[in-house]
């Protein structure tokens, strides 16, 4: 637990030192991070499980990477540099066993959250991370014991011939609904819809 928290603090120091310009469309991560693909520009990438393009109000605003390493799940995201004058946001989420930590930087404000605090702030992160731990059984998903602000979260399921749709509904949160779409022949979601103050969509691109 302490090792992960130290990693999160180190990440905050690294990200604080990163500087981007509107003319530089490449998102640069320093060790142990990666340089991501952005608008056709490709550089060295770290091995990842899936990458999603993030849309807000129908506009692509950034990318989120999910990485599974051993028994640890990592998620990292950053606003595209060309849109930072509108909204400037970075986050790193780490989960190992029962311990979770989230570092986020919004404009110049930096915060670190742990465990249950993350469900209150960004419930979609620990929920989505469950789908990167390997193929889950339907009963395991529907019976997840999750509380947000001391209120149990509702979980339901729909399915078609080709996909499963899982719906997570916090009852006492700014996040109203998290809908996860998974093709039946795949393990990780291809589409994630997050309904809240601003609706956000994550579409898998790799």
């Amino acid at each position: 637990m302490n090792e992960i928290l130290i990693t999160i603090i180190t990440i905050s120091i690294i990200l604080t030192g990163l500087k981007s310009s509107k003319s530089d469309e490449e998102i640069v991560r320093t060790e142990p991070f990666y340089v991501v693909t952005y608008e056709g520009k490709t550089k060295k990438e770290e091995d990842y499980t899936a990458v999603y393009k993030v849309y807000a109000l129908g506009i692509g605003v950034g990318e989120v990477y999910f990485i599974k390493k051993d028994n640890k799940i990592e998620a990292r995201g950053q606003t595209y540099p060309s849109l930072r004058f509108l909204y400037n946001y970075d986050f790193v989420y780490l989960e190992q066993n029962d311990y979770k930590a989230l570092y986020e930087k919004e404009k110049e404000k930096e915060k670190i959250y742990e465990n249950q605090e993350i469900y209150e702030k960004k419930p979609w992160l620990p929920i989505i991370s469950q789908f990167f731990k390997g193929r889950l059984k339907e009963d395991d998903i529907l019976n997840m014991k999750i509380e947000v602000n001391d209120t149990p979260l509702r979980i339901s399921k729909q399915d078609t011939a080709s996909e499963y749709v899982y719906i997570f509904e916090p009852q006492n949160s700014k996040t109203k609904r998290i809908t996860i779409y998974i093709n039946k022949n795949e393990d990780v979601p291809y589409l994630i819809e997050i309904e809240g103050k601003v609706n956000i969509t994550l579409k898998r691109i790799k």
Side-chain angles (χ1 to χ4, degrees):
M1 184 176 73
N2 290 336
E3 180 182 349
I4 294 181
L5 186 56
I6 290 171
T7 302
I8 284 284
I9 294 170
T10 303
I11 287 166
S12 70
I13 294 171
I14 292 171
L15 290 181
T16 301
L18 293 179
K19 294 186 178 180
S20 302
S21 66
K22 290 168 60 177
S23 61
D24 181 9
E25 299 288 67
E26 297 166 352
I27 303 171
V28 178
R29 304 280 188 185
T30 56
E31 183 64 26
F33 304 116
Y34 40 73
V35 179
V36 304
T37 300
Y38 177 64
E39 293 185 1
K41 298 180 180 180
T42 305
K43 286 191 175 182
K44 181 180 178 182
E45 295 175 341
E46 191 175 21
D47 188 27
Y48 51 77
T49 304
V51 58
Y52 295 83
K53 188 166 184 176
V54 182
Y55 294 85
L57 303 176
I59 300 171
V61 296
E63 292 179 358
V64 174
Y65 281 64
F66 282 88
I67 303 169
K68 180 179 180 180
K69 290 183 175 180
D70 300 322
N71 65 337
K72 182 167 66 176
I73 306 296
E74 302 180 17
R76 314 175 192 272
Q78 190 177 53
T79 307
Y80 289 140
S82 59
L83 297 176
R84 287 182 175 273
F85 70 100
L86 291 175
Y87 185 62
N88 191 340
Y89 180 74
D90 298 87
F91 80 83
V92 178
Y93 171 79
L94 301 178
E95 179 174 333
Q96 188 169 18
N97 300 322
D98 293 329
Y99 181 71
K100 304 172 182 66
L102 170 65
Y103 160 79
E104 64 175 16
K105 181 180 179 182
E106 187 171 5
K107 296 181 179 178
E108 298 305 318
K109 296 181 180 179
E110 296 178 280
K111 293 183 179 180
I112 293 176
Y113 301 92
E114 295 180 87
N115 299 319
Q116 187 59 33
E117 293 177 320
I118 301 170
Y119 285 99
E120 324 301 340
K121 181 66 177 178
K122 292 281 189 301
W124 58 273
L125 271 171
I127 288 172
I128 294 171
S129 72
Q130 301 303 307
F131 292 88
F132 287 85
K133 296 180 178 180
R135 185 176 290 273
L136 296 174
K137 296 180 180 179
E138 177 182 330
D139 287 346
D140 291 337
I141 297 172
L142 296 177
N143 294 320
M144 287 180 180
K145 303 299 182 184
I146 301 173
E147 289 192 356
V148 179
N149 291 314
D150 299 320
T151 306
L153 180 146
R154 293 179 184 173
I155 306 172
S156 59
K157 172 182 171 288
Q158 303 171 359
D159 65 276
T160 66
S162 61
E163 68 179 8
Y164 298 111
V165 181
Y166 291 98
I167 302 167
F168 298 80
E169 297 178 285
Q171 302 303 297
N172 186 18
S173 171
K174 292 180 180 179
T175 301
K176 301 304 179 184
R177 178 179 296 183
I178 302 154
T179 307
I180 297 176
Y181 300 81
I182 305 176
N183 288 320
K184 287 188 174 180
N185 62 344
E186 296 180 337
D187 292 337
V188 300
Y190 73 88
L191 180 67
I192 300 159
E193 297 175 337
I194 303 163
E195 299 178 31
K197 187 175 181 180
V198 176
N199 293 344
I200 298 172
T201 300
L202 280 64
K203 293 184 178 179
R204 197 177 75 214
I205 57 177
K206 289 184 182 179

